[in-house]
Short mmCIF file of all heavy atoms in Angstrom, two decimals:
data_model
loop_
_atom_site.label_atom_id
_atom_site.label_comp_id
_atom_site.label_asym_id
_atom_site.label_seq_id
_atom_site.Cartn_x
_atom_site.Cartn_y
_atom_site.Cartn_z
N SER A 1 91.35 93.25 74.35
CA SER A 1 91.54 91.80 74.52
C SER A 1 92.60 91.45 75.56
O SER A 1 92.60 90.34 76.10
CB SER A 1 91.91 91.15 73.18
OG SER A 1 93.09 91.74 72.65
N TYR A 2 93.53 92.37 75.82
CA TYR A 2 94.61 92.10 76.77
C TYR A 2 94.95 93.36 77.53
O TYR A 2 95.00 94.44 76.93
CB TYR A 2 95.86 91.57 76.04
CG TYR A 2 96.96 91.16 76.98
CD1 TYR A 2 96.97 89.87 77.55
CD2 TYR A 2 97.97 92.04 77.34
CE1 TYR A 2 97.95 89.49 78.43
CE2 TYR A 2 98.96 91.68 78.24
CZ TYR A 2 98.95 90.39 78.77
OH TYR A 2 99.93 90.01 79.66
N PRO A 3 95.19 93.28 78.84
CA PRO A 3 95.15 92.09 79.68
C PRO A 3 93.71 91.62 79.94
O PRO A 3 92.76 92.37 79.67
CB PRO A 3 95.81 92.56 80.96
CG PRO A 3 95.50 94.02 81.03
CD PRO A 3 95.54 94.49 79.61
N PRO A 4 93.56 90.40 80.47
CA PRO A 4 92.21 89.90 80.78
C PRO A 4 91.53 90.80 81.80
O PRO A 4 92.16 91.64 82.46
CB PRO A 4 92.49 88.51 81.37
CG PRO A 4 93.84 88.13 80.84
CD PRO A 4 94.62 89.41 80.76
N SER A 5 90.23 90.63 81.94
CA SER A 5 89.44 91.46 82.84
C SER A 5 90.01 91.42 84.26
O SER A 5 90.34 90.35 84.79
CB SER A 5 87.99 90.99 82.86
OG SER A 5 87.40 91.16 81.59
N HIS A 6 90.12 92.60 84.87
CA HIS A 6 90.69 92.70 86.21
C HIS A 6 90.01 93.83 86.96
O HIS A 6 89.40 94.73 86.37
CB HIS A 6 92.20 92.95 86.13
CG HIS A 6 92.55 94.18 85.35
ND1 HIS A 6 92.62 94.18 83.98
CD2 HIS A 6 92.82 95.46 85.75
CE1 HIS A 6 92.94 95.40 83.54
NE2 HIS A 6 93.06 96.19 84.60
N CYS A 7 90.13 93.79 88.28
CA CYS A 7 89.56 94.84 89.11
C CYS A 7 90.37 96.12 88.94
O CYS A 7 91.61 96.10 89.04
CB CYS A 7 89.56 94.40 90.58
SG CYS A 7 89.02 95.69 91.73
N THR A 8 89.71 97.22 88.70
CA THR A 8 90.41 98.49 88.52
C THR A 8 90.94 99.03 89.85
O THR A 8 91.77 99.93 89.87
CB THR A 8 89.48 99.54 87.89
OG1 THR A 8 88.29 99.66 88.70
CG2 THR A 8 89.08 99.11 86.48
N GLY A 9 90.45 98.46 90.96
CA GLY A 9 90.90 98.90 92.27
C GLY A 9 92.17 98.21 92.72
O GLY A 9 93.19 98.85 92.98
N CYS A 10 92.12 96.88 92.81
CA CYS A 10 93.26 96.11 93.31
C CYS A 10 94.07 95.45 92.21
O CYS A 10 95.16 94.93 92.46
CB CYS A 10 92.79 95.06 94.31
SG CYS A 10 91.70 93.80 93.60
N GLY A 11 93.54 95.43 90.97
CA GLY A 11 94.28 94.84 89.86
C GLY A 11 94.19 93.34 89.77
O GLY A 11 94.79 92.72 88.87
N THR A 12 93.43 92.70 90.65
CA THR A 12 93.31 91.24 90.65
C THR A 12 92.54 90.77 89.42
O THR A 12 91.51 91.34 89.07
CB THR A 12 92.57 90.76 91.91
OG1 THR A 12 93.29 91.20 93.07
CG2 THR A 12 92.45 89.24 91.93
N ARG A 13 93.08 89.74 88.78
CA ARG A 13 92.40 89.18 87.60
C ARG A 13 91.08 88.55 88.03
O ARG A 13 91.02 87.80 89.00
CB ARG A 13 93.29 88.14 86.92
CG ARG A 13 92.65 87.52 85.69
CD ARG A 13 93.62 86.61 84.97
NE ARG A 13 92.97 85.92 83.86
CZ ARG A 13 93.61 85.11 83.01
NH1 ARG A 13 94.91 84.90 83.16
NH2 ARG A 13 92.95 84.53 82.03
N ILE A 14 90.02 88.86 87.29
CA ILE A 14 88.69 88.36 87.64
C ILE A 14 88.54 86.94 87.12
O ILE A 14 88.82 86.65 85.96
CB ILE A 14 87.60 89.27 87.04
CG1 ILE A 14 87.77 90.70 87.56
CG2 ILE A 14 86.21 88.75 87.40
CD1 ILE A 14 86.81 91.69 86.95
N LYS A 15 88.12 86.05 87.99
CA LYS A 15 87.95 84.65 87.63
C LYS A 15 86.77 84.48 86.66
O LYS A 15 85.81 85.26 86.70
CB LYS A 15 87.69 83.81 88.88
CG LYS A 15 88.78 83.92 89.94
CD LYS A 15 90.11 83.39 89.43
CE LYS A 15 91.18 83.46 90.53
NZ LYS A 15 92.50 83.00 90.03
N PRO A 16 86.84 83.46 85.82
CA PRO A 16 85.75 83.25 84.84
C PRO A 16 84.37 83.15 85.47
O PRO A 16 83.39 83.63 84.90
CB PRO A 16 86.16 81.93 84.17
CG PRO A 16 87.65 81.89 84.29
CD PRO A 16 87.95 82.52 85.61
N TYR A 17 84.28 82.53 86.66
CA TYR A 17 82.96 82.38 87.28
C TYR A 17 82.44 83.70 87.84
O TYR A 17 81.28 83.79 88.26
CB TYR A 17 83.00 81.31 88.39
CG TYR A 17 84.12 81.44 89.39
CD1 TYR A 17 84.06 82.40 90.41
CD2 TYR A 17 85.23 80.61 89.32
CE1 TYR A 17 85.08 82.52 91.33
CE2 TYR A 17 86.27 80.72 90.23
CZ TYR A 17 86.19 81.68 91.24
OH TYR A 17 87.22 81.78 92.14
N ASP A 18 83.28 84.72 87.88
CA ASP A 18 82.82 86.05 88.30
C ASP A 18 82.57 86.97 87.11
O ASP A 18 82.37 88.17 87.28
CB ASP A 18 83.86 86.70 89.22
CG ASP A 18 83.85 86.11 90.63
OD1 ASP A 18 82.80 85.58 91.02
OD2 ASP A 18 84.88 86.19 91.32
N LEU A 19 82.60 86.40 85.91
CA LEU A 19 82.39 87.19 84.71
C LEU A 19 81.04 86.89 84.05
O LEU A 19 80.79 87.32 82.93
CB LEU A 19 83.51 86.92 83.69
CG LEU A 19 84.89 87.50 84.05
CD1 LEU A 19 85.94 87.02 83.07
CD2 LEU A 19 84.84 89.02 84.08
N LEU A 20 80.19 86.17 84.75
CA LEU A 20 78.87 85.88 84.20
C LEU A 20 78.05 87.16 84.14
O LEU A 20 77.90 87.84 85.17
CB LEU A 20 78.14 84.84 85.05
CG LEU A 20 78.76 83.44 85.11
CD1 LEU A 20 78.01 82.57 86.11
CD2 LEU A 20 78.75 82.80 83.74
N PRO A 21 77.56 87.54 82.97
CA PRO A 21 76.81 88.79 82.86
C PRO A 21 75.64 88.85 83.84
O PRO A 21 74.90 87.88 84.00
CB PRO A 21 76.31 88.78 81.41
CG PRO A 21 77.26 87.89 80.69
CD PRO A 21 77.65 86.83 81.68
N VAL A 22 75.47 89.95 84.50
CA VAL A 22 74.38 90.25 85.44
C VAL A 22 74.43 89.37 86.69
O VAL A 22 74.46 89.87 87.82
CB VAL A 22 72.99 90.12 84.77
CG1 VAL A 22 71.88 90.46 85.77
CG2 VAL A 22 72.91 91.03 83.55
N PHE A 23 74.49 88.05 86.51
CA PHE A 23 74.41 87.13 87.63
C PHE A 23 75.59 87.30 88.59
O PHE A 23 75.41 87.25 89.81
CB PHE A 23 74.32 85.69 87.14
CG PHE A 23 73.09 85.40 86.34
CD1 PHE A 23 73.14 85.30 84.96
CD2 PHE A 23 71.86 85.25 86.97
CE1 PHE A 23 72.00 85.05 84.22
CE2 PHE A 23 70.70 85.00 86.24
CZ PHE A 23 70.78 84.91 84.86
N SER A 24 76.79 87.47 88.04
CA SER A 24 77.96 87.66 88.90
C SER A 24 77.82 88.94 89.72
O SER A 24 78.20 88.97 90.90
CB SER A 24 79.23 87.71 88.05
OG SER A 24 79.53 86.45 87.51
N TYR A 25 77.27 89.98 89.11
CA TYR A 25 77.08 91.24 89.84
C TYR A 25 76.14 91.01 91.03
O TYR A 25 76.38 91.51 92.14
CB TYR A 25 76.51 92.30 88.91
CG TYR A 25 76.31 93.64 89.57
CD1 TYR A 25 77.33 94.58 89.58
CD2 TYR A 25 75.10 93.97 90.17
CE1 TYR A 25 77.17 95.82 90.19
CE2 TYR A 25 74.92 95.20 90.80
CZ TYR A 25 75.96 96.13 90.78
OH TYR A 25 75.78 97.34 91.40
N ILE A 26 75.08 90.26 90.80
CA ILE A 26 74.11 89.98 91.87
C ILE A 26 74.75 89.13 92.96
O ILE A 26 74.62 89.42 94.16
CB ILE A 26 72.86 89.28 91.29
CG1 ILE A 26 72.15 90.22 90.32
CG2 ILE A 26 71.92 88.86 92.41
CD1 ILE A 26 70.99 89.57 89.57
N LEU A 27 75.46 88.07 92.56
CA LEU A 27 76.07 87.16 93.54
C LEU A 27 77.15 87.85 94.35
O LEU A 27 77.33 87.56 95.54
CB LEU A 27 76.65 85.94 92.81
CG LEU A 27 75.62 85.01 92.14
CD1 LEU A 27 76.32 83.91 91.35
CD2 LEU A 27 74.70 84.39 93.20
N LEU A 28 77.88 88.76 93.72
CA LEU A 28 78.95 89.48 94.42
C LEU A 28 78.43 90.71 95.16
O LEU A 28 79.21 91.43 95.79
CB LEU A 28 80.04 89.91 93.42
CG LEU A 28 80.85 88.79 92.77
CD1 LEU A 28 81.72 89.34 91.65
CD2 LEU A 28 81.71 88.10 93.82
N LYS A 29 77.13 90.95 95.03
CA LYS A 29 76.48 92.11 95.66
C LYS A 29 77.14 93.42 95.23
O LYS A 29 77.26 94.37 96.01
CB LYS A 29 76.53 91.97 97.19
CG LYS A 29 75.76 90.76 97.70
CD LYS A 29 75.83 90.65 99.21
CE LYS A 29 75.06 89.42 99.69
NZ LYS A 29 75.13 89.28 101.17
N GLY A 30 77.57 93.44 93.95
CA GLY A 30 78.11 94.67 93.39
C GLY A 30 79.46 95.06 93.92
O GLY A 30 79.82 96.25 93.87
N LYS A 31 80.26 94.08 94.41
CA LYS A 31 81.58 94.39 94.96
C LYS A 31 82.62 93.40 94.44
O LYS A 31 82.30 92.26 94.13
CB LYS A 31 81.54 94.35 96.49
CG LYS A 31 80.63 95.38 97.12
CD LYS A 31 80.65 95.28 98.64
CE LYS A 31 79.73 96.32 99.27
NZ LYS A 31 79.74 96.23 100.75
N CYS A 32 83.87 93.84 94.37
CA CYS A 32 84.97 92.98 93.97
C CYS A 32 85.17 91.89 95.02
O CYS A 32 85.18 92.17 96.22
CB CYS A 32 86.25 93.80 93.80
SG CYS A 32 87.75 92.82 93.55
N ARG A 33 85.35 90.66 94.58
CA ARG A 33 85.54 89.54 95.51
C ARG A 33 86.84 89.71 96.32
O ARG A 33 86.93 89.29 97.49
CB ARG A 33 85.59 88.22 94.75
CG ARG A 33 85.65 86.98 95.63
CD ARG A 33 85.78 85.73 94.78
NE ARG A 33 84.60 85.48 93.99
CZ ARG A 33 83.52 84.83 94.43
NH1 ARG A 33 83.49 84.37 95.68
NH2 ARG A 33 82.49 84.63 93.64
N SER A 34 87.85 90.33 95.71
CA SER A 34 89.17 90.42 96.36
C SER A 34 89.29 91.60 97.32
O SER A 34 89.71 91.44 98.46
CB SER A 34 90.27 90.51 95.30
OG SER A 34 90.27 89.36 94.48
N CYS A 35 88.92 92.79 96.85
CA CYS A 35 89.15 93.98 97.68
C CYS A 35 87.87 94.64 98.19
O CYS A 35 87.93 95.55 99.02
CB CYS A 35 89.98 95.01 96.89
SG CYS A 35 89.10 95.72 95.47
N GLY A 36 86.73 94.21 97.67
CA GLY A 36 85.48 94.77 98.14
C GLY A 36 85.10 96.10 97.52
O GLY A 36 84.11 96.72 97.92
N GLU A 37 85.88 96.55 96.51
CA GLU A 37 85.54 97.82 95.86
C GLU A 37 84.21 97.70 95.11
O GLU A 37 83.93 96.68 94.48
CB GLU A 37 86.65 98.24 94.90
CG GLU A 37 86.34 99.54 94.19
CD GLU A 37 87.55 100.12 93.47
OE1 GLU A 37 88.65 100.02 94.00
OE2 GLU A 37 87.36 100.67 92.37
N LYS A 38 83.44 98.77 95.17
CA LYS A 38 82.12 98.75 94.55
C LYS A 38 82.22 98.67 93.03
O LYS A 38 83.04 99.35 92.41
CB LYS A 38 81.35 100.00 94.95
CG LYS A 38 79.90 100.00 94.51
CD LYS A 38 79.17 101.22 95.02
CE LYS A 38 77.71 101.23 94.58
NZ LYS A 38 76.98 102.43 95.07
N ILE A 39 81.41 97.82 92.44
CA ILE A 39 81.34 97.68 90.99
C ILE A 39 80.18 98.53 90.49
O ILE A 39 79.07 98.47 91.04
CB ILE A 39 81.13 96.21 90.58
CG1 ILE A 39 82.26 95.33 91.12
CG2 ILE A 39 81.04 96.07 89.06
CD1 ILE A 39 82.02 93.84 90.94
N SER A 40 80.43 99.33 89.47
CA SER A 40 79.40 100.23 88.96
C SER A 40 78.18 99.46 88.45
O SER A 40 78.31 98.41 87.81
CB SER A 40 79.97 101.08 87.83
OG SER A 40 78.95 101.86 87.23
N LEU A 41 77.01 99.98 88.78
CA LEU A 41 75.75 99.39 88.30
C LEU A 41 75.65 99.49 86.77
O LEU A 41 74.85 98.79 86.15
CB LEU A 41 74.57 100.10 88.96
CG LEU A 41 73.17 99.56 88.68
CD1 LEU A 41 73.02 98.13 89.16
CD2 LEU A 41 72.12 100.46 89.35
#
């Protein structure tokens, strides 16, 4: 439950609109919005 969801690469806290199941992955093209690190499928 803590800390809130964050990128394991850059540590940036993930915004609520990037936490939508499946859809956020598609919109972000499988990459972190902040650092561009690939998000596992």
Side-chain angles (χ1 to χ4, degrees):
S1 58
Y2 185 85
S5 296
H6 57 278
C7 174
T8 55
C10 63
T12 302
R13 180 174 175 176
I14 302 175
K15 303 297 182 183
Y17 50 77
D18 284 336
L19 289 173
L20 296 174
V22 181
F23 297 103
S24 290
Y25 182 89
I26 296 173
L27 294 175
L28 293 171
K29 298 180 180 179
K31 297 180 180 179
C32 171
R33 186 184 293 275
S34 299
C35 67
E37 179 168 322
K38 187 176 180 180
I39 302 171
S40 173
L41 185 61

